[in-house]
Amino acid sequence: MLLGRLLVGVGLGIGPPVASLYVTEVSPAHVRGTYGSFIQIAACLGLMTALCIGIPVKEIIGWWRVCFWVSTIPAAILALAMLVCAESPQWLYKQGRIAEAEAELERLVGPSHVRFAMSDLSRLDKSDANDTVKLSELLYGRHSRGSIIAMVLMDKLGRKVLLLGSFLGMAIFMAIQAVAASPSVPAYAASYLSVGGMLMFVLAFALGAGPVPGLLLPEIFPSRIRAKAMAVCMSVHWVINFFVGLLFLQLLEQLGPHLLYSIFATFCLMAVIFVKRNVMETKGKSLQEIEIALLPQD
């Protein structure tokens, strides 16, 4: 069982960043945000389905085995479906497989747009002459500076607007949580504020902070370090998630809900400032246009 959990964990660690990277590289610019949001929606639906399937586990002995068997079905469907999916033209081009890249682009954008797309790949490849990636470039490089609703809005309002609204909403609703934990608030009001604040916090997260980073990160990193940079970013993401879940109850006991939720709200406000000052808007831009825009100006 431990080996199985290890293998599942490895798969879950590899899957989301690779999926985000793949969707970013094969999607047209005008619908990339919409398609990228499907990853977050699929994750939410998977979690809800898993919870529903696990409901009988207390009443039926050995039901946990059924849960594991059921989980193999979507994994098998995904594995089989990937056999008929297009390979990333950018990856093929970087490997020198030009004819295959042209064939995949024809499948993705149509024959009439292949020539223009290939010229973009050629121009981008010339700017990626050096394929050596240093850790310092990943960490300190020039780019360091309701999921369904997000899917609809991603290519209309833009990534940056959704992130700003999401983090600001999360800060406000986390502050409401802090107020609800104050001893001066009546118990009946505190319960409404606490439950309502948490529900709205989750909604605000699903509108931007949940789906947008998985799409935005592969958009802003240059092609020569995109895969490695995504691996670093998603590793940091999951490690921090792990420690937040591990330490939350201890911090809650030691600091109290009022102070702890205030700290969380402060971090959300810091995220608003960071996004406002450092994140560029990528809506409607091709990966080549984004990379050129982020090149250092002489």
Side-chain angles (χ1 to χ4, degrees):
M1 182 179 290
L2 291 176
L3 177 60
R5 292 183 65 181
L6 174 63
L7 294 176
V8 170
V10 171
L12 289 175
I14 295 175
V18 173
S20 298
L21 183 64
Y22 176 77
V23 170
T24 299
E25 292 188 345
V26 302
S27 301
H30 65 284
V31 292
R32 192 187 307 124
T34 301
Y35 291 170
S37 299
F38 277 116
I39 299 173
Q40 180 71 13
I41 294 172
C44 294
L45 291 177
L47 289 172
M48 289 189 294
T49 303
L51 290 173
C52 293
I53 294 174
I55 290 176
V57 74
K58 288 186 177 181
E59 287 76 22
I60 303 177
I61 298 176
W63 183 258
W64 61 271
R65 298 180 186 274
V66 176
C67 296
F68 284 124
W69 279 111
V70 170
S71 66
T72 64
I73 297 175
I77 293 174
L78 180 61
L80 293 174
M82 287 305 300
L83 296 176
V84 297
C85 288
E87 181 56 88
S88 167
Q90 291 198 27
W91 183 83
L92 291 171
Y93 193 92
K94 288 186 64 176
Q95 303 303 312
R97 297 155 63 176
I98 309 300
E100 294 179 54
E102 291 179 347
E104 297 297 348
L105 281 172
E106 186 172 342
R107 290 179 59 189
L108 293 169
V109 301
S112 59
H113 299 285
V114 170
R115 186 174 180 180
F116 177 76
M118 288 299 295
S119 65
D120 275 348
L121 289 179
S122 177
R123 185 169 64 252
L124 185 60
D125 187 62
K126 291 178 181 178
S127 66
D128 287 345
N130 181 15
D131 198 38
T132 302
V133 182
K134 299 179 180 179
L135 180 61
S136 59
E137 189 173 3
L138 294 179
L139 298 179
Y140 308 109
R142 60 180 179 270
H143 305 286
S144 62
R145 301 187 168 187
S147 299
I148 295 179
I149 300 176
M151 177 187 69
V152 177
L153 298 178
M154 191 85 74
D155 290 311
K156 295 183 181 296
L157 298 181
R159 286 69 154 151
K160 187 171 183 177
V161 173
L162 287 180
L163 279 178
L164 287 172
S166 177
F167 282 123
L168 182 59
M170 290 166 64
I172 293 172
F173 297 124
M174 192 53 65
I176 291 176
Q177 290 284 93
V179 171
S182 175
S184 60
V185 177
Y188 70 91
S191 61
Y192 284 107
L193 288 174
S194 180
V195 175
M198 184 55 65
L199 291 175
M200 295 305 296
F201 177 87
V202 173
L203 175 61
F205 173 83
L207 285 175
V212 173
L215 172 70
L216 184 63
L217 287 173
E219 285 184 326
I220 63 176
F221 285 118
S223 58
R224 66 191 177 92
I225 67 168
R226 186 174 294 135
K228 299 178 180 67
M230 280 293 294
V232 172
C233 291
M234 297 309 293
S235 296
V236 172
H237 167 75
W238 286 113
V239 168
I240 292 177
N241 272 352
F242 170 77
F243 280 108
V244 169
L246 181 67
L247 301 175
F248 176 76
L249 292 179
Q250 298 179 31
L251 292 174
L252 190 64
E253 292 179 359
Q254 295 180 8
L255 301 179
H258 182 75
L259 178 57
L260 183 59
Y261 292 147
S262 298
I263 293 174
F264 286 159
T266 302
F267 274 104
C268 291
L269 286 176
M270 291 170 61
V272 172
I273 297 172
F274 176 84
V275 171
K276 180 67 175 177
R277 297 181 59 180
N278 298 289
V279 175
M280 70 169 290
E281 181 55 71
T282 61
K283 180 187 70 172
K285 298 179 180 178
S286 68
L287 297 181
Q288 292 75 25
E289 291 172 334
I290 295 170
E291 183 163 345
I292 292 172
L294 288 171
L295 287 174
Q297 302 297 322
D298 296 330

